[in-house]
Amino acid sequence: MRCGEWFELHLGYGQILSCRLELGRDWYILTGRNEVRFYLKKNETYQVDV
């Protein structure tokens, strides 16, 4: 995946979050109308649909 790509992040229990991948000092996602930012953990694996 590359910076700026949109995807769906699986949160578990059937919950899915539509978000955009970005890179600053570390990788993070932006989601929602207000573009809330969540940082991703290093060495963690995430299930996504592109």
Side-chain angles (χ1 to χ4, degrees):
M1 293 187 68
R2 295 182 308 211
C3 190
E5 285 192 54
W6 282 90
F7 60 95
E8 292 181 335
L9 177 65
H10 294 262
L11 303 175
Y13 302 105
Q15 299 294 316
I16 296 174
L17 184 65
S18 180
C19 49
R20 185 177 80 223
L21 183 66
E22 294 294 340
L23 177 62
R25 181 173 276 184
D26 292 310
W27 288 102
Y28 62 93
I29 59 172
L30 294 172
T31 187
R33 280 183 268 166
N34 295 325
E35 294 193 332
V36 177
R37 183 178 300 185
F38 294 99
Y39 284 90
L40 301 174
K41 288 180 153 184
K42 292 181 181 180
N43 300 318
E44 187 72 29
T45 302
Y46 298 92
Q47 183 179 355
V48 301
D49 289 330
V50 180

